[in-house]
Amino acid sequence: MTTSTRAARAGLLDAHLTLLAEALLPYRAAEPLLARWGTELAGILVGGGRLLVAGNGGSAAEAQHLTAELVGRLRDERRPLSAIALHAETSALTAIGNDYGYDEVFARQVRAHGRPGDVLLLMSTSGSSGNLLAAVAAAREVGLRCWAFTGPTPNPLADACHEALGVASPDSQVVQELHLVSTHVLCEYVDRALPTALTALAGQAAASAAAASAVRPVDPAADDPVDASPVADGGPVRAGVEVVVDPTADRRRGDPA
């Protein structure tokens, strides 16, 4: 490698790191948002909800990185969590793009997989991709919560979502690099919040079971609880409305025995 080549590469690296350093200071303000998202997401995922993620190009790779950390694990052993990278469904993606146009490749999948209360997280450096904006519109119709990792705000995607984390850098590479940091920090907060979320879920299940066991059938005639204890062998069975049959009634009316 020549000296000039080394100098050129060092110059590029220095320029890149300068841009990264400039973006780092305002990016530190994202900490509370990532902490809250992680806590919310932990509760949603342990409760049976799902995270849907999508992006284009490098952002697609970032999005798939996020789902891998959740379905697999970030560091410590834990239960798998439901997260789907919509762009990784290549057969569905190409079929939808061919039949409905590329702007619908994520929106149609959101309508198929999303359920009310799920989260859609979209990643974009520009914040103006048509297929991501269509996905947000579909998600709002279905009842999903919409988050975004974007470049500088305001931008159309950030405005369309419920909340967004915008990286204040004009360089798309720096934006994607800090999106990766955001992915790791978000997953860290999910893992940190899981024990509390699981405890809360167990408490809700116990409360529901207790409430169900406390409900007893009511006799509409007496407005008192019906005795639900086992019936002794040969004993009468009472069913709220009693019909008594007198076998001597026909004889009293003079009918033949």
Side-chain angles (χ1 to χ4, degrees):
M1 183 183 298
T2 65
T3 303
S4 59
T5 301
R6 290 194 187 96
R9 290 190 177 181
L12 288 174
L13 177 60
D14 185 69
H16 188 93
L17 291 177
T18 298
L19 288 172
L20 182 59
E22 290 174 352
L24 282 174
L25 186 60
Y27 174 73
R28 289 178 181 275
E31 174 90 19
L33 180 62
L34 289 169
R36 179 163 53 79
W37 281 5
T39 301
E40 291 179 15
L41 192 56
I44 291 167
L45 296 179
V46 300
R50 176 179 293 157
L51 174 68
L52 304 180
V53 192
N56 295 293
S59 294
E62 300 274 2
Q64 199 164 340
H65 188 135
L66 172 57
T67 59
E69 303 286 20
L70 294 174
V71 178
R73 66 179 182 182
L74 181 66
R75 183 180 293 112
D76 300 324
E77 186 58 41
R78 56 150 168 78
R79 60 180 286 181
L81 302 171
S82 181
I84 299 175
L86 301 180
H87 56 274
E89 293 285 341
T90 54
S91 293
L93 190 82
T94 53
I96 296 168
N98 186 64
D99 294 344
Y100 299 95
Y102 193 67
D103 278 358
E104 288 296 309
V105 293
F106 300 138
R108 191 166 179 84
Q109 291 187 76
V110 168
R111 294 187 180 96
H113 301 305
R115 301 293 182 270
D118 287 349
V119 174
L120 174 67
L121 175 57
L122 301 170
M123 299 188 183
S124 172
T125 58
S126 69
S128 59
S129 301
N131 55 8
L132 300 183
L133 293 171
V136 173
R140 284 182 171 273
E141 291 171 8
V142 176
L144 276 69
R145 187 148 185 81
C146 301
W147 299 339
F149 288 171
T150 75
T153 57
N155 61 67
L157 182 60
D159 293 342
C161 289
H162 293 96
E163 293 184 286
L165 187 161
V167 175
S169 175
D171 189 274
S172 61
Q173 297 173 36
V174 169
V175 171
Q176 288 178 351
E177 287 157 6
L178 290 182
H179 284 177
L180 178 58
V181 174
S182 301
T183 289
H184 287 154
V185 175
L186 177 63
C187 290
E188 289 267 16
Y189 274 115
V190 169
D191 284 0
R192 182 179 293 185
L194 279 178
T196 301
L198 288 167
T199 299
L201 183 66
Q204 293 170 8
S208 297
S213 65
V215 176
R216 302 179 63 191
V218 175
D219 183 339
D223 199 30
D224 289 325
V226 175
D227 186 358
S229 59
V231 179
D233 291 343
V237 178
R238 304 191 63 176
V241 178
E242 238 176 79
V243 178
V244 179
V245 179
D246 184 352
T248 66
D250 290 339
R251 291 194 182 97
R252 288 202 300 270
R253 290 199 300 268
D255 295 336

